Amino acid sequence: MMGSSSLVVHGLVVKYEKENATSFQDLMAMEEPLQIRLEFEKAGVWHKKDLLVTMRSPGDDFDLATGFLYSEGIIHGEKDILLMRYCRQVKEEEKGNVLLVRLAPNPEMDLLGLDRNFYTHSSCGVCGKTAIDAVRCKAASLSEDPEWQVDPDTLMSLSGNLHEHQTGFKYTGGLHAAVLFDANGKMELIREDVGRHNALDKLIGGALRQNIPVDQRKMVLLSGRVSFEMVQKSVTAGIPLLVAFGAPTSLAVDLARDKKMTLIGFLKKDGFNVYTGQERIKQWVKKSLK
């Protein structure tokens, strides 16, 4: 659930409807920049690096930073973070919007030579990468579990669960959600943000920080469409089944197929499309395929 700082009462809004005009105070989703600064040790010397600026909804920022660093392969678990806090010596308008992350020493990580420009906005993250090679998913294929199959009725019930718990969207209509479910469709964690990729990073980071596994017969539901980067983040986290209300892109489908992920789009109360990994869906769906 979103913190109260993620919503703000806007000034008077005038609503025109047919021949009537009414004014009211609107509750809106906040959008502010978050900068992530890293501190890390290399050859006995501590360095600082401004890593990321992203437009996000304030709230769950530690989850966002943890999930982003994990999905980008900069950390391999929460143990790789020694300290995380908001920077104190910043301008007044930057307070609460600059996050310092001190990493545990790792001789295998070359952060000084990081060739990525991580500037993102609330609708896209992959555009901040500076080379085509940098966006290729280096994560291993997902492990197969032939004993696990999801009942289609369980999948179709996920949408009702999301609407019931997506508090920020209910009040503003302006937030995306990423939700973790167990194999029986029980909700385990939800995160919201103005950015689709931020919501997913918050979910992955929140699961890491709460020691909730995401790679053992789990499902993640996304409120929007599925881009390449959303699949990339999910594969890196080990999520075997990704479901979305919207459509996947062609590159997202290619990556999901290559990494043996089950990718489902256009989820509704009475159906869905399975793009890859049909083997994780119970047999009666497979029998209907021509």
Side-chain angles (χ1 to χ4, degrees):
M1 186 176 296
M2 299 293 293
S4 58
S5 63
S6 298
L7 308 179
V8 62
V9 176
H10 197 268
L12 285 178
V13 176
V14 179
K15 180 179 181 179
Y16 288 90
E17 193 171 23
K18 293 186 178 179
E19 297 180 358
N20 297 319
T22 56
S23 62
F24 62 98
Q25 285 190 318
D26 196 14
L27 191 63
M28 304 185 73
M30 288 186 68
E31 183 178 28
E32 292 186 352
L34 175 71
Q35 183 179 54
I36 297 176
R37 294 177 179 172
L38 295 185
E39 283 188 352
F40 56 94
E41 185 267 340
K42 187 72 174 178
V45 178
W46 282 91
H47 302 268
K48 292 184 179 181
K49 184 179 183 68
D50 291 338
L51 180 73
L52 165 73
V53 175
T54 186
M55 301 302 295
R56 97 303 188 193
S57 300
D60 300 315
D61 288 338
F62 285 18
D63 289 350
L64 172 57
T66 302
F68 178 83
L69 294 172
Y70 184 79
S71 65
E72 293 295 337
I74 295 173
I75 64 171
H76 301 291
E78 195 186 6
K79 68 182 187 308
D80 294 329
I81 297 177
L82 295 179
L83 175 147
M84 194 176 338
R85 64 171 174 81
Y86 292 104
C87 292
R88 302 184 184 97
Q89 297 180 342
V90 293
K91 299 176 183 177
E92 184 64 30
E93 64 271 18
E94 294 178 340
K95 288 184 178 179
N97 288 330
V98 181
L99 195 60
L100 177 68
V101 182
R102 184 175 300 157
L103 301 180
N106 182 353
E108 297 180 1
M109 181 63 66
D110 181 18
L111 291 173
L112 289 174
L114 199 65
D115 61 346
R116 305 268 277 276
N117 175 21
F118 290 116
Y119 178 83
T120 71
H121 52 81
S122 56
S123 63
C124 175
V126 78
C127 58
K129 302 181 180 174
T130 57
I132 294 298
D133 285 343
V135 304
R136 291 178 180 164
C137 184
K138 299 180 176 64
S141 295
L142 298 169
S143 59
E144 298 183 59
D145 183 356
E147 308 241 339
W148 178 43
Q149 288 188 319
V150 181
D151 192 305
D153 289 333
T154 299
L155 288 166
M156 290 183 287
S157 72
L158 299 184
S159 60
N161 289 335
L162 175 59
H163 292 310
E164 181 181 347
H165 293 88
Q166 199 179 352
T167 308
F169 181 82
K170 184 189 305 181
Y171 286 110
T172 69
L175 294 172
H176 286 286
V179 196
L180 179 66
F181 294 93
D182 68 11
N184 297 314
K186 179 182 177 182
M187 183 182 295
E188 295 191 335
L189 195 64
I190 179 171
R191 290 292 182 264
E192 295 184 278
D193 198 274
V194 289
R196 293 174 299 112
H197 61 288
N198 285 341
L200 182 55
D201 278 337
K202 285 181 176 181
L203 183 76
I204 293 170
L208 279 173
R209 298 179 70 230
Q210 296 182 40
N211 295 315
I212 302 174
V214 300
D215 58 348
Q216 301 172 9
R217 300 190 177 189
K218 298 294 178 70
M219 303 176 283
V220 167
L221 174 62
L222 304 176
S223 61
R225 64 184 178 86
V226 186
S227 63
F228 167 86
E229 188 186 25
M230 303 295 273
V231 173
Q232 182 187 47
K233 288 177 181 294
S234 301
V235 168
T236 302
I239 296 165
L241 199 158
L242 192 62
V243 193
F245 288 151
T249 66
S250 61
L251 199 56
V253 172
D254 290 344
L255 180 60
R257 183 181 297 111
D258 180 58
K259 299 299 182 180
K260 302 189 184 328
M261 167 188 278
T262 297
L263 179 58
I264 293 173
F266 293 107
L267 178 69
K268 298 185 175 86
K269 293 180 179 179
D270 58 355
F272 51 84
N273 292 351
V274 184
Y275 291 88
T276 64
Q278 290 89 349
E279 64 276 1
R280 290 192 180 96
I281 313 301
K282 278 201 172 172
Q283 278 298 113
W284 72 265
V285 172
K286 293 178 67 177
K287 288 179 181 177
S288 69
L289 299 179
K290 295 181 180 179

